[in-house]
Amino acid sequence: MTNAKRFKIACIGAGNVGASAAQYCVEEELGDVVLTDVVEGLPQGKALDLTEAGPIRGYNSRVTGTNDYKDIEGSDLAIVTAGLPRKPGMSRLDLLEKNGLIISGICENIKRYAPDSIVIIVTNPLDVMVYLAYKKLGFPAERVIGMAGCLDSARMRAFVALELGVSMKNVDTMVLGSHGDDMVPLPHYTTVSGIPITTLLPQDRIDAIVERTRKGGGEIVALLKTGSAFYAPAASAVRMAQAILRDEKQLLPCAAYLMGHYGLNDIYMGVPCILGRAGVERVMELEISEADRSSLHTSAGEVRAGIDGLKERGIL
Ligand code: A3D
């Protein structure tokens, strides 16, 4: 183990994202994982399979599967991916209600069994679900964080690296706003080893990368036909978990609770955050253009509409 303390990580939801997150956690030896789901046998089967991969992949972290929330007792961190995907004929509001009820139930259990944990929400619609979790958990805002910007900026990094034929590791990007078509990718804060891409690529190529980033989730859904992306979302959630548990002070875009930042109040939105052992240790305020600020506020309007939807249905 590279980390001195043996952490306990609850991966709640053992579907595509949850199981991949469990895999990345143990491969990184970030801690012992408890995989939890409502479907009997699913988390147990995946946990056993991951355990049996241990001797080959060379990890000693434990993975166990359960349908009983009691087993998450004392977890240091929870990654919540439980939820339903939107099915044909289901409205956004119906999905909001169904996942809202699931997240509310899970928060009850986290509060009961892991009251000191840091919680990373992945379930969609992300910015609304993480706001709901914050309200239901009653934890300090720095301990309730949404995963989206990390994924959106990873997608943009990948597209820039592919376009320029450079290492993915050399590319840094920043994406603000809500997770969806209204997100705000920032080309001016996108660099290759410190060189702004605005000096490396023509405007039309940058515009195309920004557009592909905005539609990144949809591009994968269209290819897969059933289900949505899971490798990159899981990797992003585990990147955040690593920054927190190892107190790395990493600057990553995350959905954080805003109290006046960027002119927004009492809302969760994607902003640059310093992640360390306390969770979101600082929200960074960047200088952004008037156009980007206005897109951020448009994006906030969508999130507020979702929050109102939950209130109308008595979930919040
Ligand atoms: P999927 O493979 O369907 O897994 C979801 C799992 O949640 C299933 O195994 C369910 O049985 C389980 N579940 C349902 N209710 C409960 C409950 N009450 N307690 C525990 N488990 C439960 O979906 P997925 O893993 O592909 O995606 C999971 C969620 O993440 C969805 O809401 C996706 O939309 C969301 N997601 C978000 C992003 C972001 O970037 C924010 C990216 C990818 C997926």
Side-chain angles (χ1 to χ4, degrees):
M1 300 281 286
T2 46
N3 44 325
K5 179 179 185 301
R6 210 171 167 108
F7 290 113
K8 181 169 176 180
I9 303 164
C11 286
I12 304 181
N16 280 337
V17 182
S20 302
Q23 180 185 349
Y24 291 138
C25 282
V26 291
E27 292 205 329
E28 185 58 42
E29 297 209 307
L30 208 51
D32 295 329
V33 173
V34 181
L35 196 53
T36 312
D37 203 286
V38 282
V39 178
E40 236 174 84
L42 180 76
Q44 292 87 345
K46 290 190 178 181
L48 181 59
D49 200 7
L50 277 170
T51 301
E52 291 166 0
I56 299 167
R57 301 294 294 160
Y59 50 77
N60 285 305
S61 294
R62 299 290 172 85
V63 205
T64 47
T66 184
N67 306 114
D68 184 351
Y69 279 102
K70 194 174 183 316
D71 295 326
I72 71 164
E73 193 155 25
S75 292
D76 299 283
L77 185 133
I79 299 176
V80 180
T81 65
L84 299 180
R86 193 159 147 204
K87 302 213 173 83
M90 196 192 248
S91 74
R92 264 178 199 278
L93 267 180
D94 289 342
L95 180 72
L96 199 68
E97 178 171 343
K98 293 221 157 39
N99 282 352
L101 290 170
I102 289 172
I103 293 295
S104 301
I106 288 169
C107 287
E108 284 295 308
N109 283 299
I110 294 177
K111 222 162 109 171
R112 180 161 176 208
Y113 294 114
D116 298 323
S117 60
I118 293 180
V119 180
I120 298 174
I121 302 287
V122 181
T123 305
N124 271 320
L126 190 273
D127 306 86
V128 183
M129 288 301 125
V130 64
Y131 181 87
L132 172 67
Y134 166 61
K135 294 289 175 184
K136 294 283 172 185
L137 286 164
F139 291 2
E142 62 266 26
R143 287 206 277 125
V144 186
I145 317 164
M147 186 296 292
C150 201
L151 167 65
D152 299 326
S153 76
R155 284 182 172 144
M156 190 163 168
R157 287 172 71 186
F159 300 150
V160 170
L162 292 174
E163 178 82 20
L164 288 169
V166 299
S167 166
M168 305 259 173
K169 290 186 192 167
N170 285 161
V171 183
D172 268 321
T173 63
M174 187 47 67
V175 177
L176 303 184
S178 68
H179 183 56
D181 294 355
D182 289 328
M183 72 177 73
V184 188
L186 298 176
H188 287 96
Y189 286 104
T190 302
T191 59
V192 180
S193 289
I195 306 163
I197 59 157
T198 44
T199 65
L200 298 173
L201 283 170
Q203 192 57 45
D204 63 326
R205 294 311 307 151
I206 294 175
D207 291 345
I209 287 171
V210 164
E211 199 48 23
R212 194 173 176 197
T213 302
R214 283 208 179 103
K215 306 254 162 75
E219 184 178 359
I220 291 184
V221 168
L223 289 166
L224 291 178
K225 314 267 188 316
T226 57
S228 53
F230 52 98
Y231 294 120
S236 303
V238 174
R239 184 73 200 82
M240 290 167 62
Q242 181 184 321
I244 293 165
L245 293 175
R246 294 193 179 149
D247 196 23
E248 289 177 350
K249 318 290 186 200
Q250 281 271 348
L251 174 59
L252 293 168
C254 308
Y257 187 66
L258 303 184
M259 290 170 282
H261 309 88
Y262 298 92
L264 295 165
N265 235 319
D266 190 34
I267 191 165
Y268 267 84
M269 293 277 288
V271 288
C273 298
I274 306 282
L275 292 190
R277 195 59 196 92
V280 173
E281 298 192 348
R282 188 147 54 97
V283 170
M284 302 263 287
E285 285 227 44
L286 303 177
E287 291 240 348
I288 54 173
S289 67
E290 262 319 303
D292 286 339
R293 201 176 179 81
S294 145
S295 305
L296 197 61
H297 282 249
T298 307
S299 187
E302 286 282 312
V303 178
R304 287 205 200 282
I307 292 171
D308 290 344
L310 286 181
K311 285 182 179 158
E312 277 159 26
R313 294 180 177 222
I315 298 169
L316 231 178

